[in-house]
Amino acid sequence: MIAEPTLLSRSVQKENSVVDVSSCASVHHVSSERNENRQKTVRGKRKARECSENAKRKHSKSSNGSLGRAENEQLKNGDVEAITLFEVVSMGRNAMQAVVDDWIDAYTGDRDSALLDLISFFIQCSGCKGMVTAEMFQSKKGTDVMSKMVEDLDEDTGLQYKKFLAFPWILTVTWPLDMDSGEYPLIMSGLYWKRFRSHFCEFVSVLVAQCQNCVIFDGYLLNTLISLLTELSDSRVRAFRHTCTLAAVKLLSALVNVALNLSVSVDNSQRLYEVELAKMASKRASQRLDRIQRKISEIQDRKCEIENMMDAVFKGVFLKRYRDVIPEIRAICMEELTVWMKLYSSVFLNDSYLKYVGWMMHDKQPDVRLKCVLGLQALYQDQSSSKMDLFTIRFKERMISMTLDKDHEVAIQAMRLLMVISQSCEDFLSADDHKNVFQFVYCSHRPLATTAGEFLYNRLLSNHELSKSRDGASDQERHRELVLARVRALIHFQTENELHQHVPYLVDSLWDSAGALLKDWTGLTSLLLPHTSCQEQALSIAEEAFVIELILASVRQAAEGPPLSGRGAGKKVVNSKEKKLQIDDCTKLTEQFIKVLPELLSKYSEDAEKITSLLKIPQYFQTDTCDHENSLCAQALLAELEAAVDRHTHAGLLEAAARSYQSLCAQDLPWHSLARPSFDRFIQHWTDTLGTRLGESLSDGCFTANEDSTLEILSTLKKLNAFNIAQDLSKWSLYELGTRLLDVEIKHGGLPMEVTIEALRCMCSCILWKLNTFGEGLTSRESALQQRSQLRAFCEKCYRCLSHAEQLVREQAFICLSDVLIAHNYQLQMWDSSAGTPLLYTPDPKLQKALFSFVVEHVFTSPEQDTHSSKVSESECGDGQLEDLHRRRNLLAAYCKLIVHSVLEMSMAAEVFKQYVKYYNDFGDIIKETLNRTRQMDKMESARTLVQCLQQLYLRLKQEQDRGNTCSSRVQTYSSIKELARRFSLTFGWDQIKSRESLAMIHRDGIEFVFKGFVQQSEKHSPLYISYLTILSEFSSKLLKPDKKTIYSYLQKFAGELVINNREESWMPLIYYRTSLMGTAEGEDAISFISSDTNKQPSLSNRSRSPSVKQVNSEGDQRFLSPSSEAKGNELLKSSEDSKVQQAPLSREQLTSSLMSDKVLRSSDEVDTVDIDG
């Protein structure tokens, strides 16, 4: 009998919380009956140690037992005593060698008993809780035997069983039905079971390795084992199939190692034979030659026998399981197949076996595809590609296409595979293939981009032809020529692709592989400076622009590091080593550019685009130290900075200069004493210039400046605004200068549009800085009143500008108003009561109405051009239309932030929510995010806003219908209103508990709206607004069952029993709404949710679900955007002043677990109904 294992140690059971895997078996003759075996089960368990396991003790050299060496090693460590082979293997790999040696000793003494122990081991590793019985195969009639080879269910005992031939036995494995539940050792979670998998694989390998010189060739052990694994790997039970397939392929891998050892022995013996044969005839020993020849023949016979076993396993297991329905089994087969090819290439590395890898590269599961790609990498790296030429040609397109795999890891490894193949076969990829593959340096997934960057570097930048230099050139000149050649190779790649011009992303992709080149700022800047070498090496204007962008991107990468925008989910946590490297790089780039940058700024002083990029470099300087030499260079740099901002008025250039000055003028830094005086000097100069020109131009309250004065005023305002955004310039009284200009425009007009816009920006920046610094010290009441007066005056001026003749002025006034009001609201939320009197200001109703009217007039316009009526791609849209859409989205986002930050009442969002369906493609992401944010602020008020929105649209439609005007484009149709209600209901999500009160309120208000003024007894006609109930029914599916019953009772309260059962056509919306409330799970009686005094209608009792009535409006047929459009709206709605931390939305898995955890609360017996009467 096969011993039943004892329970595992308590620590193992406690850690993994799984049932113990046990098995028992008995050895008997053909005449034994199954019932007799069941009666002797207890006796078999009691005699287990005397049977199979104790059989080892009889032949063991140790007096401690059958597993003497293993048990001694375990007991020395204080472990529990292991009884079965399964338990010993599970306990750890330290005893693996001793376990196998003990088993071989037991097999040598009693091979039947030991072999049955081994069979029991594989059954237990499959998680089988049943038993194994064996009967000796004595009959020679194959037909009788094959009729017994079944796998079925024994209806008498309720057990599943499998009977199969494992020569010389017929084995029967029985197990309970619950084994198909999916719990078996190979897939169990936990560190213990992960180790068990490795121990299991190691046991099979060690077993074959230890037996290779003895019992492996007895014609008994491996034949039985291969029969067992072949049969069980073909079982319908996943546990048997998975475990035995893994054991079979590991067995084949171990046999490959045996075959390799035999091949080595054959080679060694062959060399000995040749050496002996080469001796002179007088010294040649013929007996020795005969002995060597016999040994060679014997080894070759053994090798042939091993290869036959390998072929049996391959055909019996691999060919059946490499396309198994379980992806883990397919992955195991592919992984081991490539191992066989690599180890035993003379047999397996040919097209007959490679085709399986090629086929499985099309597998639906990424793990299987990944194993194929990783295996191919190992094969091509072994310089064995000559044997794979046909495979390479046949599956070339598939390998290239796998770089586009939806699984990122597969795509990365496919890219590495192409890189490996290209190294051994130069012409594997064509020029077009290289062009397509190199485009991945611009992809959003950084690991794939860096892999493509490594491929690009190896192919283009590390080419030996680039390192060739002129004869007689110095080391410095050779280095410069190498840098120039590599840069021109990058320029050629950049201009050849014709798709992307994103140099920062190219640098990020090349950073890990070409960091030495990108950090060689000395070599890169030398290309831009005058050089004594031949003029044919000089860069063109376009090449110079690329080098400058490359330098800026490398400086940013060195100072800040990845990830870039769009690459990576969040900010990377920098460890101490990376932080030290960043500091060292910043120090190096500071030492380099503080000397070179003034010369570069002087050279490109007239080129605004190039100088803009150069002006951004000082933002990354390491300004902790400043010695005498650096101070002289810093003064030269500051002089060039001042000259650049004095010469140019380009917005991007001024912003870059302002940010650089902000970095250089930081407090408590050595550079502050150098940069601050220069900064104050030119700011004072611009302020004096602006004051002088305004004094000359503003005479008698009118703007009378000529063209030159106007241009000077405009350029000075632009410069001051750019620097006022970066630093507080309040001490130069910029607010008063802007006020003088706006007062003239408001009273008399005549101010140029651009000057008006710049004046608004100037005043807005000043107000924002004052709000930011207000409350830093103790504030008095007078100071708060003065600040509020200034804020009110600015809002009044912006209110006047909202009706300006120029649209750009109106939009700028709206943006300024939004920014100031949001900043003021944030300042109130963060106010510290100990700081004194807060600054209180509430926009008056006329200002709020003006903001509301502005959005309606300027955002929701041109419906005939919207994408909801006709799908227009970006390629077909003109630049003007795209720019107009971007501008309108910014305006809507600003208005929605006013609502989210409680500046405006939530009810003012109703007009925005009305456009959710009509303008879904343009603004759907913004409106949806606003709806979610308002619901987080106040669920009930948000629901009232939705009710207000739907009722207003419904009333407007009724009014137009009463007038006979049914074709107005300003009014949404009934089907579009119903679709809007459906979209609103979808925003409540899956958690009905969280939103039950809001939904109940929506139904309550809807019922009251429909039956307002309706008298049950006297009215014979239906209410005027009864069709609104069909719209309201869209929210019924989100109600809990008890709430449906409560709302139905509330409906009866208004409609009455006679009315609610009326079957006339005018009352059909009421029937439709009632059915939506009665809709339950399929198969239940809907009448069970109706109160007992209601008449049961047979025609409705079988309706388990509300009818599906879908009316499609020809003008309102909507198409949904991709989720990326919602992400853009989220970004627009994010504000730095937002003080409330919003909860992240739950994933689908989290919502599912939340629903399961609330299972008790959701039951109809324990959930309280919502009181909607109050």
Side-chain angles (χ1 to χ4, degrees):
M1 298 193 53
I2 300 178
E4 179 182 5
T6 60
L7 293 177
L8 297 178
S9 61
R10 295 183 180 180
S11 60
V12 174
Q13 290 181 344
K14 186 176 181 180
E15 176 185 354
N16 297 282
S17 299
V18 297
V19 295
D20 182 39
V21 180
S22 61
S23 173
C24 66
S26 60
V27 180
H28 54 82
H29 297 288
V30 179
S31 58
S32 300
E33 299 293 338
R34 183 179 301 174
N35 292 334
E36 181 181 356
N37 290 336
R38 293 196 189 100
Q39 295 173 1
K40 296 181 179 180
T41 300
V42 177
R43 184 174 59 187
K45 294 180 180 179
R46 185 168 57 250
K47 294 184 177 181
R49 297 179 184 177
E50 298 176 2
C51 196
S52 61
E53 292 295 340
N54 286 340
K56 304 173 187 177
R57 293 189 175 95
K58 299 177 182 179
H59 306 283
S60 176
K61 296 180 181 180
S62 173
S63 60
N64 292 331
S66 63
L67 301 176
R69 286 188 288 266
E71 285 188 13
N72 287 340
E73 188 171 348
Q74 295 290 339
L75 292 174
K76 287 179 182 179
N77 298 328
D79 296 335
V80 297
E81 181 181 358
I83 302 301
T84 65
L85 198 58
F86 172 76
E87 289 182 348
V88 176
V89 173
S90 302
M91 284 181 178
R93 59 185 302 171
N94 294 332
M96 197 67 65
Q97 194 79 23
V99 170
V100 174
D101 291 340
D102 287 341
W103 184 88
I104 293 174
D105 293 342
Y107 180 82
T108 305
D110 186 354
R111 66 180 187 179
D112 289 343
S113 178
L115 192 55
L116 284 174
D117 284 344
L118 187 61
I119 293 173
S120 177
F121 166 73
F122 286 109
I123 299 299
Q124 293 176 62
C125 290
S126 301
C128 182
K129 305 174 186 177
M131 64 179 181
V132 182
T133 59
E135 51 185 318
M136 296 302 295
F137 172 56
Q138 297 175 346
S139 174
K140 301 297 183 181
K141 297 180 180 180
T143 55
D144 181 59
V145 174
M146 296 307 297
S147 64
K148 298 181 180 180
M149 305 298 106
V150 294
E151 179 176 348
D152 208 342
L153 173 66
D154 188 346
E155 298 180 356
D156 296 335
T157 61
L159 298 176
Q160 296 184 84
Y161 68 92
K162 181 177 179 66
K163 180 179 289 188
F164 57 94
L165 175 64
F167 192 85
W169 295 305
I170 297 177
L171 298 178
T172 302
V173 183
T174 59
W175 65 91
L177 291 174
D178 61 350
M179 187 176 172
D180 289 333
S181 61
E183 288 293 330
Y184 57 95
L186 288 187
I187 65 170
M188 288 183 182
S189 60
L191 181 60
Y192 175 82
W193 294 111
K194 289 181 180 179
R195 290 176 178 171
F196 169 80
R197 179 190 174 97
S198 63
H199 298 162
F200 175 73
C201 297
E202 184 188 7
F203 173 79
V204 177
S205 302
V206 173
L207 176 64
V208 176
Q210 293 297 101
C211 296
Q212 62 179 327
N213 296 321
C214 51
V215 298
I216 196 175
F217 299 104
D218 64 352
Y220 188 78
L221 171 61
L222 281 187
N223 290 343
T224 305
L225 189 57
I226 291 175
S227 299
L228 171 72
L229 298 179
T230 302
E231 290 294 334
L232 289 181
S233 65
D234 199 28
S235 172
R236 293 196 300 262
V237 180
R238 171 178 175 171
F240 287 147
R241 208 164 64 248
H242 189 181
T243 306
C244 293
T245 300
L246 177 61
V249 295
K250 290 297 181 181
L251 175 65
L252 201 156
S253 299
L255 292 176
V256 165
N257 291 323
V258 174
L260 289 174
N261 295 335
L262 293 175
S263 298
V264 173
S265 299
V266 170
D267 294 339
N268 294 337
S269 299
Q270 190 68 35
R271 283 194 293 270
L272 288 176
Y273 182 82
E274 293 174 356
V275 169
E276 190 67 24
L277 190 64
K279 293 181 180 180
M280 297 176 60
S282 59
K283 297 182 179 181
R284 186 184 306 160
S286 58
Q287 295 180 353
R288 179 177 175 83
L289 286 176
D290 294 340
R291 188 168 58 253
I292 296 175
Q293 187 63 40
R294 286 195 302 271
K295 182 178 180 181
I296 292 175
S297 300
E298 181 183 353
I299 296 175
Q300 288 178 342
D301 291 341
R302 287 191 171 189
K303 181 181 176 183
C304 182
E305 185 178 353
I306 291 295
E307 290 180 353
N308 290 335
M309 295 177 186
M310 292 161 49
D311 188 63
V313 175
F314 184 85
K315 293 180 179 179
V317 178
F318 180 88
L319 290 183
K320 297 178 180 179
R321 299 277 67 83
Y322 84 97
R323 284 168 40 174
D324 195 278
V325 69
I326 306 302
E328 291 87 350
I329 298 178
R330 303 199 299 271
I332 290 171
C333 292
M334 289 300 106
E335 182 180 14
E336 293 301 318
L337 177 60
T338 54
V339 171
W340 306 334
M341 293 177 181
K342 182 178 180 181
L343 295 178
Y344 206 21
S345 58
S346 60
V347 174
F348 288 100
L349 190 57
N350 54 61
D351 297 327
S352 299
Y353 295 96
L354 282 169
K355 64 184 180 182
Y356 300 112
V357 181
W359 293 343
M360 298 310 290
M361 285 195 297
H362 296 81
D363 195 274
K364 294 181 180 180
Q365 293 298 323
D367 290 340
V368 182
R369 301 194 299 270
L370 181 62
K371 296 298 183 183
C372 295
V373 174
L374 291 175
L376 289 175
Q377 286 182 21
L379 293 177
Y380 280 105
Q381 286 173 351
D382 284 349
Q383 303 298 326
S384 56
S385 58
S386 60
K387 299 181 180 180
M388 304 172 66
D389 291 340
L390 182 60
F391 173 84
T392 304
I393 296 172
R394 170 64 179 82
F395 293 100
K396 171 185 173 182
E397 295 299 326
R398 176 54 185 163
M399 288 187 284
I400 295 175
S401 65
M402 290 183 76
T403 56
L404 294 168
D405 199 283
K406 63 181 181 180
D407 186 83
H408 292 311
E409 186 61 27
V410 176
I412 292 170
Q413 298 304 328
M415 185 70 69
R416 293 197 177 278
L417 175 61
L418 297 181
M419 198 186 316
V420 171
I421 299 176
S422 297
Q423 291 174 356
S424 58
C425 184
E426 291 290 335
D427 57 348
F428 170 68
L429 296 177
S430 64
D432 291 337
D433 293 334
H434 280 109
K435 181 179 178 181
N436 295 330
V437 169
F438 291 158
Q439 292 298 319
F440 284 94
V441 297
Y442 300 107
C443 73
S444 59
H445 189 249
R446 189 175 187 274
L448 179 57
T450 54
T451 307
E454 182 182 354
F455 194 4
L456 175 65
Y457 177 78
N458 294 335
R459 185 71 181 179
L460 297 182
L461 303 183
S462 62
N463 195 340
H464 296 292
E465 296 181 359
L466 298 178
S467 59
K468 295 181 180 180
S469 59
R470 294 179 291 108
D471 296 335
S474 62
D475 293 340
Q476 183 178 0
E477 290 177 346
R478 283 198 295 269
H479 177 70
R480 184 180 185 277
E481 291 174 2
L482 177 60
V483 173
L484 178 60
R486 289 181 171 179
V487 168
R488 280 183 169 162
L490 278 180
I491 294 173
H492 177 71
F493 164 73
Q494 186 78 355
T495 55
E496 185 185 26
N497 59 56
E498 299 177 356
L499 291 176
H500 301 278
Q501 298 297 327
H502 305 306
V503 177
Y505 291 90
L506 176 62
V507 170
D508 184 41
S509 301
L510 291 171
W511 192 252
D512 295 340
S513 54
L517 170 64
L518 298 175
K519 291 182 183 181
D520 185 12
W521 295 299
T522 303
L524 292 174
T525 52
S526 66
L527 302 178
L528 301 174
L529 297 175
H531 200 265
T532 58
S533 61
C534 56
Q535 292 297 323
E536 64 184 20
Q537 292 185 353
L539 297 175
S540 63
I541 296 177
E543 290 175 338
E544 287 179 343
F546 177 80
V547 172
I548 292 175
E549 290 185 30
L550 189 68
I551 291 174
L552 174 61
S554 63
V555 167
R556 190 217 68 84
Q557 189 81 6
E560 295 182 353
L564 290 171
S565 177
R567 283 185 177 174
K571 190 175 180 63
K572 180 183 177 182
V573 178
V574 182
N575 55 36
S576 57
K577 183 178 180 180
E578 294 174 339
K579 185 66 176 176
K580 184 179 182 302
L581 182 60
Q582 285 185 2
I583 294 174
D584 294 341
D585 289 340
C586 288
T587 303
K588 293 178 183 178
L589 70 89
T590 303
E591 294 175 353
Q592 170 64 22
F593 285 101
I594 197 174
K595 301 174 183 178
V596 179
L597 195 56
E599 187 175 355
L600 293 176
L601 289 174
S602 176
K603 178 181 179 180
Y604 301 106
S605 59
E606 300 298 331
D607 194 330
E609 183 178 355
K610 294 177 182 176
I611 204 173
T612 299
S613 299
L614 293 173
L615 287 176
K616 294 178 181 179
I617 295 178
Q619 300 176 24
Y620 307 104
F621 279 1
Q622 187 75 20
T623 57
D624 293 341
T625 59
C626 184
D627 53 19
H628 177 69
E629 182 180 359
N630 287 343
S631 64
L632 295 178
C633 298
Q635 292 177 0
L637 175 61
L638 293 171
E640 293 297 333
L641 282 173
E642 186 175 352
V645 297
D646 190 59
R647 184 180 296 111
H648 297 279
T649 58
H650 188 266
L653 187 148
L654 294 175
E655 180 184 357
R659 296 299 179 187
S660 295
Y661 267 107
Q662 181 185 14
S663 177
L664 297 175
C665 295
Q667 294 287 344
D668 302 329
L669 290 179
W671 288 53
H672 177 79
S673 59
L674 296 174
R676 192 67 196 186
S678 174
F679 177 82
D680 293 343
R681 183 171 58 254
F682 64 75
I683 293 295
Q684 185 64 49
H685 171 68
W686 292 340
T687 307
D688 295 341
T689 301
L690 181 60
T692 303
R693 291 293 177 264
L694 290 182
E696 296 173 355
S697 304
L698 301 178
S699 60
D700 298 332
C702 297
F703 186 77
T704 59
N706 55 23
E707 185 176 354
D708 294 338
S709 298
T710 302
L711 288 177
E712 188 174 3
I713 292 173
L714 180 60
S715 63
T716 306
L717 276 174
K718 287 181 178 180
K719 295 174 183 178
L720 289 172
N721 284 340
F723 281 83
N724 197 22
I725 293 174
Q727 299 189 56
D728 186 9
L729 305 182
S730 300
K731 65 179 182 179
W732 280 279
S733 302
L734 296 184
Y735 182 83
E736 286 73 14
L737 295 176
T739 301
R740 293 172 61 185
L741 287 170
L742 275 187
D743 287 341
V744 171
E745 174 62 20
I746 292 173
K747 293 179 181 179
H748 303 284
L751 199 67
M753 179 189 65
E754 293 183 354
V755 175
T756 306
I757 292 174
E758 294 300 329
L760 282 170
R761 289 176 178 171
C762 178
M763 296 177 66
C764 179
S765 299
C766 294
I767 293 292
L768 291 176
W769 276 113
K770 290 183 178 179
L771 289 174
N772 183 57
T773 57
F774 186 78
E776 290 183 352
L778 187 62
T779 59
S780 61
R781 177 178 176 81
E782 291 76 12
S783 176
L785 291 175
Q786 181 183 1
Q787 195 81 348
R788 184 176 66 178
S789 176
Q790 190 180 65
L791 179 60
R792 182 183 288 111
F794 175 73
C795 292
E796 180 65 25
K797 289 180 174 62
C798 290
Y799 168 74
R800 297 289 187 88
C801 291
L802 287 176
S803 57
H804 197 275
E806 295 290 343
Q807 181 177 348
L808 293 179
V809 175
R810 297 196 298 269
E811 291 178 359
Q812 185 61 48
F814 179 82
I815 294 295
C816 291
L817 264 175
S818 302
D819 292 343
V820 167
L821 292 176
I822 292 172
H824 170 258
N825 180 267
Y826 176 77
Q827 187 259 348
L828 284 180
Q829 292 179 355
M830 302 301 295
W831 184 259
D832 187 3
S833 58
S834 61
T837 306
L839 174 61
L840 301 177
Y841 172 73
T842 303
D844 52 10
K846 69 174 184 178
L847 180 59
Q848 298 185 29
K849 185 177 180 181
L851 293 171
F852 171 79
S853 302
F854 178 87
V855 171
V856 174
E857 295 174 3
H858 290 78
V859 175
F860 304 110
T861 57
S862 304
E864 68 278 3
Q865 299 179 0
D866 290 331
T867 56
H868 75 279
S869 58
S870 61
K871 297 177 68 176
V872 182
S873 63
E874 291 191 7
S875 60
E876 298 173 352
C877 290
D879 294 338
Q881 289 183 346
L882 291 176
E883 184 64 28
D884 179 70
L885 176 61
H886 180 68
R887 174 184 56 80
R888 290 159 60 199
R889 285 175 60 85
N890 285 337
L891 295 175
L892 178 61
Y895 181 79
C896 291
K897 283 192 286 187
L898 291 174
I899 297 171
V900 169
H901 289 271
S902 303
V903 176
L904 301 178
E905 295 180 359
M906 196 178 297
S907 59
M908 298 189 71
E911 192 65 31
V912 176
F913 295 159
K914 292 176 185 177
Q915 314 299 332
Y916 184 44
V917 172
K918 188 176 181 180
Y919 291 90
Y920 184 85
N921 287 356
D922 292 341
F923 314 118
D925 53 340
I926 301 177
I927 298 175
K928 184 177 180 180
E929 182 66 16
T930 305
L931 204 156
N932 293 333
R933 294 287 188 92
T934 54
R935 186 168 294 147
Q936 293 172 9
M937 294 164 54
D938 190 338
K939 292 188 294 185
M940 300 302 294
E941 187 62 28
S942 176
R944 291 189 184 94
T945 305
L946 298 183
V947 171
Q948 176 187 348
C949 169
L950 294 173
Q951 291 180 2
Q952 287 178 357
L953 287 174
Y954 180 80
L955 291 175
R956 190 181 302 172
L957 176 63
K958 293 290 290 184
Q959 292 174 2
E960 293 294 331
Q961 289 177 346
D962 293 342
R963 296 173 185 173
N965 186 8
T966 58
C967 300
S968 176
S969 60
R970 298 181 297 103
V971 180
Q972 297 190 29
T973 62
Y974 183 82
S975 59
S976 63
I977 300 175
K978 191 171 182 294
E979 173 65 15
L980 179 63
R982 188 185 71 84
R983 299 281 187 92
F984 285 163
S985 68
L986 292 177
T987 61
F988 284 96
W990 294 355
D991 195 345
Q992 296 172 301
I993 296 291
K994 187 182 297 184
S995 55
R996 61 185 308 206
E997 295 180 357
S998 303
L999 290 167
M1001 189 273 295
I1002 291 175
H1003 284 274
R1004 181 193 64 192
D1005 287 1
I1007 293 172
E1008 293 175 354
F1009 171 73
V1010 171
F1011 291 99
K1012 184 177 181 181
F1014 178 77
V1015 181
Q1016 299 181 14
Q1017 302 297 331
S1018 60
E1019 294 289 347
K1020 296 182 180 180
H1021 301 286
S1022 61
L1024 181 62
Y1025 303 144
I1026 191 172
S1027 58
Y1028 181 79
L1029 290 176
T1030 306
I1031 299 174
L1032 190 61
S1033 64
E1034 295 293 338
F1035 296 92
S1036 299
S1037 61
K1038 296 295 181 180
L1039 290 170
L1040 293 173
K1041 293 179 182 178
D1043 297 343
K1044 287 183 178 181
K1045 180 178 179 181
T1046 306
I1047 292 172
Y1048 184 81
S1049 301
Y1050 194 72
L1051 177 65
Q1052 284 183 306
K1053 176 181 175 182
F1054 280 86
E1057 297 179 8
L1058 297 178
V1059 171
I1060 207 168
N1061 295 313
N1062 197 318
R1063 309 292 296 176
E1064 295 180 4
E1065 184 177 356
S1066 60
W1067 292 95
M1068 287 304 294
L1070 177 61
I1071 299 175
Y1072 186 95
Y1073 179 59
R1074 185 187 69 169
T1075 306
S1076 69
L1077 294 177
M1078 293 161 53
T1080 59
E1082 192 167 353
E1084 295 181 8
D1085 189 3
I1087 301 300
S1088 62
F1089 285 101
I1090 306 176
S1091 57
S1092 58
D1093 57 347
T1094 305
N1095 294 330
K1096 296 179 174 59
Q1097 298 293 337
S1099 61
L1100 294 178
S1101 61
N1102 293 328
R1103 292 187 182 181
S1104 61
R1105 297 183 182 272
S1106 58
S1108 176
V1109 180
K1110 296 184 179 179
Q1111 301 178 3
V1112 180
N1113 182 20
S1114 60
E1115 298 179 359
D1117 187 15
Q1118 304 295 325
R1119 297 292 184 269
F1120 291 92
L1121 288 178
S1122 61
S1124 60
S1125 61
E1126 297 187 6
K1128 297 177 182 178
N1130 297 349
E1131 294 177 0
L1132 286 170
L1133 282 170
K1134 289 179 181 177
S1135 175
S1136 59
E1137 297 87 3
D1138 190 2
S1139 61
K1140 296 182 179 180
V1141 179
Q1142 307 292 348
Q1143 290 184 346
L1146 291 176
S1147 64
R1148 184 180 184 129
E1149 293 80 4
Q1150 291 171 323
L1151 285 171
T1152 304
S1153 61
S1154 176
L1155 290 172
M1156 295 301 293
S1157 63
D1158 294 334
K1159 182 177 180 181
V1160 179
L1161 293 176
R1162 293 173 185 272
S1163 63
S1164 59
D1165 296 332
E1166 298 182 19
V1167 176
D1168 296 332
T1169 57
V1170 179
D1171 184 10
I1172 64 174
D1173 293 322

